[in-house]
Amino acid sequence: MEGTAIPAAAPLAEPIRDDALFRATRRRRVLSRLLAHGALLLGVLIVAFPIYMTIVGSTHDAGTIGRGDVPLLPGAHALENYATAWNEGGGRTHTTPASTMLVNSLIMAVAIAVGKIAISILSAYAVVFFSFPGRMLAFWAIFITLMLPVEVRIIPTFQVIVDLQLGNTWPGLVIPLIASATATLLFRQFFLTIPDEFVEAAKIDGAGPLRFLKDVVLPLSLTNIAALFVILFIYGWNQYLWPLLIINDRSMETIVVGLSKMIGRGDSQNEWNTIMATAVLALLPPVLVVALMQRWFVRGLTETEK
């Protein structure tokens, strides 16, 4: 009706916030974060403290460590200990320098990683993109080898290498370790995600299997290859049992085997300062590989779309 005033809308009631409940919830969240960070910090300290003590021990003289009196701060013998380990070797006998063992371990680790990746890519590529009788049988035959690591088949593998006269050789050291069912499985699962349109487009362009592998499959697999390289490099670097069995020549000794031989048995006096210096040197290559390839490693493990 004209002239009739429209009553104003009633003001909305302000939201009522229970300050006590809000503060209690906030305290619980802060406490949970503190507990989580405290647990993580404790775990880091448990893992890192022995490494720190090894680094500190490598900077003191043999007498200090021999008395069991290892300080928490670095000493003044770092250059001397590392020079001795690098040029002469650690332990009582100084038989194999750490420089030689590091080169041997580097060659073995790189050869194992590259060999595993190359064989796994080709086997997974054949299983996914080729149709042939017994394709799945071949895949499951590869997959079953996961249950048969080198440690399980060590005796027949060693006998084969001896019969082929490959002892104390790089092929005998590397070849038995380069087959990888795990890498084959991972590459196969990734290759299955490549759209069929890519295959059809490659056929229309006249690309053969090798060109499709080189121009399409490998570029899409770079992050997976990088992630697997990090894992397989560390796997090859840490090998102990097989190099211990197959290598008798000290000039081909790896750093992991050499470290175990530096430690004397019985009442023999060990030069722990040079042994710890050698252990620190053995840590550096895997740490550098992980640090330099960390971005690729994370992308290879987390990316789902290429």
Side-chain angles (χ1 to χ4, degrees):
M1 206 179 221
E2 188 175 353
T4 304
I6 301 175
L12 296 175
E14 293 185 0
I16 300 175
R17 184 177 66 180
D18 190 343
D19 292 338
L21 179 60
F22 176 76
R23 288 194 297 269
T25 304
R26 187 175 181 179
R27 282 197 299 268
R28 284 197 298 269
R29 290 179 179 177
V30 172
L31 182 60
S32 63
R33 288 183 180 180
L34 289 176
L35 290 175
H37 285 80
L40 290 174
L41 181 61
L42 179 61
V44 170
L45 290 176
I46 292 174
V47 173
F49 186 72
I51 300 175
Y52 174 76
M53 291 304 299
T54 302
I55 296 174
V56 170
S58 67
T59 63
H60 290 276
D61 61 307
T64 301
I65 303 175
R67 293 191 302 269
D69 183 21
V70 182
L72 294 177
L73 297 177
H77 299 271
L79 293 178
E80 175 187 348
N81 294 337
Y82 282 94
T84 301
W86 183 266
N87 297 316
E88 302 176 17
R92 296 175 296 109
T93 56
H94 301 287
T95 52
T96 307
S99 57
T100 301
M101 294 189 293
L102 286 172
V103 171
N104 294 338
S105 293
L106 184 63
I107 294 173
M108 182 183 69
V110 171
I112 289 174
V114 173
K116 280 179 174 288
I117 290 173
I119 291 178
S120 300
I121 286 178
L122 294 177
S123 58
Y125 183 74
V127 170
V128 173
F129 294 104
F130 288 86
S131 296
F132 55 89
R135 180 179 62 172
M136 292 307 299
L137 180 62
F139 169 73
W140 284 109
I142 296 173
F143 185 75
I144 288 175
T145 59
L146 282 172
M147 306 175 190
L148 297 172
V150 175
E151 290 77 11
V152 174
R153 47 186 171 85
I154 193 73
I155 295 178
T157 304
F158 178 79
Q159 187 62 47
V160 170
I161 295 300
V162 171
D163 293 341
L164 294 176
Q165 297 181 355
L166 293 178
N168 289 319
T169 63
W170 289 112
L173 182 63
V174 172
I175 289 177
L177 300 175
I178 62 174
S180 176
T182 304
T184 302
L185 174 64
L186 294 177
F187 279 120
R188 175 184 178 270
Q189 296 305 114
F190 170 69
F191 291 166
L192 289 174
T193 65
I194 297 178
D196 295 335
E197 289 79 4
F198 285 16
V199 182
E200 297 299 329
K203 290 180 179 179
I204 294 173
D205 290 341
L210 291 180
R211 184 181 173 188
F212 179 70
L213 173 65
K214 179 175 69 72
D215 294 341
V216 178
V217 175
L218 290 182
L220 292 174
S221 307
L222 285 180
T223 54
N224 299 75
I225 292 173
L228 279 173
F229 179 84
V230 174
I231 297 172
L232 298 176
F233 178 88
I234 296 175
Y235 165 83
W237 185 270
N238 291 331
Q239 284 298 312
Y240 173 75
L241 181 58
W242 182 249
L244 180 65
L245 289 177
I246 206 65
I247 298 299
N248 296 321
D249 187 357
R250 284 296 182 94
S251 63
M252 294 185 64
E253 202 167 67
T254 61
I255 191 73
V256 176
V257 176
L259 270 173
S260 67
K261 292 183 178 180
M262 291 177 188
I263 302 174
R265 302 293 185 265
D267 296 330
S268 59
Q269 182 67 31
N270 294 309
E271 295 183 0
W272 288 108
N273 54 340
T274 53
I275 294 175
M276 290 184 179
T278 307
V280 173
L281 292 174
L283 286 173
L284 294 180
V287 171
L288 288 176
V289 169
V290 173
L292 295 176
M293 301 187 66
Q294 181 180 9
R295 181 169 62 91
W296 290 84
F297 178 71
V298 173
R299 287 177 59 187
L301 294 180
T302 57
E303 282 189 355
T304 56
E305 296 182 1
K306 306 295 178 181

